[in-house]
Amino acid sequence: MYDFAVMWDWVGFAVRWLHVITAIAWIGSSFYFVALDLGLKKVPHLPVGAHGEEWQVHGGGFYHIQKYLVAPENMPEHLVWFKWESYATWLSGAALLMIVYWVGGELFLLDPTKADLALWQGVLISAGSLTIGWVCYDFLCKSKLGETPTTLMLLLFVILVAMSWGYNEIFTGRAALLHLGAFTATIMTANVFFIIMPNQRIVVKDLQEGRTPDPKYGKIAKLRSTHNNYLTLPVVFLMLSNHYPLSFATEYSWIIASLVFLTGVTIRHYFNTMHATGKGPHWTWAVTVILFIVIAWLSTAGMHDTYEEADARALTPYEEKFASAAGYDAAYDAVIGNCSMCHSREPVWDGIRWAPKGVALETKSDVARHAKAIFLQAGVSHAMPPPNAFEMDDESRGAIVAWFRAAD
């Protein structure tokens, strides 16, 4: 188990790296094509069926791009499909969710102060909730509301706010924001898999069989692609939010997450308008700044979970496993003596106002709950505490390693 914990952490690293690479590819192609679509110009002498064209220069060469609103008269010999970036991003993200929040659910997923759930219950809620958003969103898009994009986006925002609140009532703050990002990303990938790609295949098949494609399929695909464009920036923030405890480990983290969606909309609206008209609406930056100020204020409002409350809470079975293992007392002393000056509910280290990553290491349950993270960062590696802040002796690190090995 000692070796497995190390190797499992490397598996998580590999999957995370894959997820980052594929996400960059997906976001890059998505942003590029939206900018291209908005920047097309109608000029004389365009080919039959062409909607517009654009000239671009990059990497020492010039590119002449034309867009057909429905399809060209004949099927081109070579056609590039943009789909694997989306699929690979979602699949690698789902794998990472399982590695971090399902296998490591006792630490990262479940919050015993919010809901008394077994790990399997938390995993079922995690997996099941990701499908709810797509079902509701797809139903709304296919209803008459699909003809009123603004109303549709407002209803989607209401769904996201409700899910943000719901996740925060059950999961840890970190897991709540991450799941909200996964919830939204599932909608985006499902748009590609269930709507955009099938519609494009219908158009391609019509061309191949000599029929005139119906323009409605392109219109539907464009609507879903536009939605994806506006949702991208909030998803990126939510996926990175675990690095910022002021976003996830606060009383109003669910409101913060909701407001992040609005900042994503204002930022994308500026750039989308600029691509289309050559000039962006500057009011969007003022709105973004105001929203950011509200987010910053909410991040420190109503902080809770005092030391007394945490110390009085009964240990979960997972925490009890490590708290009762041989060597726990020595490991606890090592953590308290080397880590708790920063990792506490009221840090005493100069310049630190909130526990790094929201991890408090003060009570018996705190240390037992974060056993694996302590083992990896202060036992087998010297990541913590930072060497320029505090030097942890080998005896203390050895006590942590011996305790973790005894528990496993």
Side-chain angles (χ1 to χ4, degrees):
M1 292 302 296
Y2 169 87
D3 293 331
F4 177 78
V6 175
M7 291 307 300
W8 188 249
D9 203 54
W10 278 110
V11 169
F13 171 86
V15 176
R16 189 183 301 275
W17 188 232
L18 174 63
H19 186 53
V20 169
I21 293 172
T22 54
I24 290 172
W26 185 18
I27 293 169
S29 62
S30 173
F31 279 11
Y32 171 74
F33 277 104
V34 169
L36 173 63
D37 189 66
L38 293 172
L40 291 170
K41 302 292 188 297
K42 292 184 178 180
V43 297
H45 311 301
L46 283 173
V48 177
H51 175 64
E53 70 173 15
E54 186 169 59
W55 284 86
Q56 299 181 354
V57 59
H58 180 75
F62 289 85
Y63 298 81
H64 183 203
I65 305 166
Q66 295 177 336
K67 177 185 176 180
Y68 290 80
L69 194 60
V70 180
E73 291 183 318
N74 300 304
M75 183 69 186
E77 293 183 5
H78 181 63
L79 184 63
V80 178
W81 296 77
F82 289 85
K83 56 182 178 179
W84 296 113
E85 301 93 333
S86 173
Y87 300 164
T89 299
W90 190 89
L91 289 171
S92 59
L96 191 60
L97 177 72
M98 296 174 190
I99 290 171
V100 177
Y101 291 94
W102 292 8
V103 177
E106 296 282 4
L107 171 60
F108 295 119
L109 181 66
L110 303 180
D111 187 341
T113 67
K114 294 180 179 178
D116 184 16
L117 297 174
L119 180 57
W120 68 267
Q121 293 173 313
V123 170
L124 283 180
I125 294 173
S126 169
S129 66
L130 298 183
T131 64
I132 295 174
W134 165 249
V135 172
C136 295
Y137 164 79
D138 188 54
F139 173 79
L140 292 174
C141 285
K142 292 177 178 178
S143 69
K144 292 184 178 180
L145 290 170
E147 300 174 3
T148 54
T150 301
T151 303
L152 183 61
M153 285 298 289
L154 288 174
L155 287 174
L156 177 58
F157 177 68
V158 171
I159 292 173
L160 291 169
V161 173
M163 290 305 299
S164 180
W165 176 83
Y167 279 135
N168 192 62
E169 289 294 300
I170 298 174
F171 296 149
T172 65
R174 169 176 168 169
L177 265 63
L178 189 285
H179 275 75
L180 185 63
F183 177 90
T184 310
T186 299
I187 291 176
M188 295 170 65
T189 297
N191 270 339
V192 176
F193 186 80
F194 292 112
I195 302 297
I196 296 174
M197 293 308 302
N199 283 7
Q200 289 179 344
R201 291 191 187 98
I202 292 173
V203 172
V204 169
K205 185 176 181 181
D206 284 342
L207 278 176
Q208 292 173 335
E209 297 179 358
R211 296 189 296 271
T212 301
D214 191 330
K216 74 175 184 179
Y217 295 110
K219 181 179 178 182
I220 293 171
K222 183 178 179 180
L223 174 66
R224 302 296 183 104
S225 182
T226 301
H227 289 172
N228 282 3
N229 178 257
Y230 278 98
L231 292 173
T232 298
L233 291 181
V235 169
V236 171
F237 172 87
L238 293 169
M239 294 308 182
L240 297 175
S241 63
N242 67 90
H243 294 285
Y244 303 98
L246 283 178
S247 69
F248 70 80
T250 65
E251 181 76 16
Y252 301 108
S253 59
W254 68 276
I255 301 179
I256 290 174
S258 302
L259 294 179
V260 164
F261 279 95
L262 297 182
T263 63
V265 169
T266 55
I267 293 171
R268 285 312 307 166
H269 182 66
Y270 174 85
F271 285 103
N272 288 344
T273 304
M274 184 175 66
H275 294 318
T277 65
K279 184 178 180 181
H282 296 296
W283 63 264
T284 58
W285 290 107
V287 173
T288 303
V289 170
I290 292 171
L291 288 171
F292 187 82
I293 292 173
V294 174
I295 288 172
W297 174 74
L298 286 172
S299 69
T300 58
M303 298 288 279
H304 65 303
D305 186 25
T306 64
Y307 172 85
E308 290 74 16
E309 292 171 338
D311 190 45
R313 181 178 60 79
L315 272 64
T316 65
Y318 176 82
E319 294 167 348
E320 185 61 44
K321 169 187 172 183
F322 288 97
S324 60
Y328 170 77
D329 290 338
Y332 177 81
D333 290 341
V335 172
I336 294 299
N338 293 276
C339 309
S340 63
M341 64 283 296
C342 298
H343 286 281
S344 63
R345 288 159 181 82
E346 295 182 6
V348 297
W349 191 270
D350 188 35
I352 293 181
R353 298 292 177 264
W354 297 274
K357 287 199 172 183
V359 175
L361 299 173
E362 297 178 288
T363 68
K364 187 176 182 179
S365 61
D366 289 339
V367 175
R369 180 177 176 82
H370 293 89
K372 183 179 178 181
I374 295 170
F375 164 71
L376 291 172
Q377 300 204 36
V380 295
S381 79
H382 291 191
M384 289 291 162
N388 59 340
F390 198 86
E391 185 176 355
M392 190 174 186
D393 58 57
D394 292 338
E395 182 180 352
S396 296
R397 295 189 190 278
I400 291 172
V401 172
W403 161 57
F404 187 82
R405 295 183 70 176
D408 272 350

